Amino acid sequence: PKTLQKPRAPKSPRRSAPRATRLDHFSILKFPLTTESAMKKIEDNNTLVFIVETKANKSQIKHAVAKLYDIKADKVNTLIRPDGSKKAYVRLASDYDALDVANKIGII
């Protein structure tokens, strides 16, 4: 004979509260870099340089930049620095100027 297997009917939820998203737009972007090489990127390559959360991926960085600064990113390159932080090079779309955005943010 086959034993009857009833579906689970828990009296309490497995988790007491739903898990909140750890990475929101504000926690993804930590701060913009203002080094000489970052300034050169802004002027020559239409690219902004940020230090970002290590767990954030490229698409999350792209959405965070779009949400916080109202600009469209063309592509995002990332690297992990020797000190363990993550650096993101955000290339802006051709209809946005990185110098203007940098002035608006307060980098320059």
Side-chain angles (χ1 to χ4, degrees), residues 1 4 6 17 19 28 30 35 37 39 42-43 58 60 64-65 67 72 76-77 79-80 82 87 89 97 99-100 107:
L4 177 66
K6 291 185 174 181
R19 187 176 285 169
I28 288 176
K30 291 183 179 175
T35 58
S37 58
M39 292 302 154
I42 289 173
E43 292 162 8
K58 292 181 182 186
Q60 288 172 330
V65 167
K67 186 94 168 179
K72 187 168 182 265
V76 177
N77 289 345
L79 60 88
I80 305 285
K87 191 193 312 188
Y89 296 99
D97 186 31
L99 264 173
D100 295 340
I107 299 174

Side-chain angles (χ1 to χ4, degrees), residues 48-62:
L48 295 173
V49 185
F50 291 97
I51 298 297
V52 296
E53 178 61 43
T54 317
K55 293 186 175 110
N57 59 34
K58 292 181 182 186
S59 60
Q60 288 172 330
I61 295 168
K62 197 172 184 177

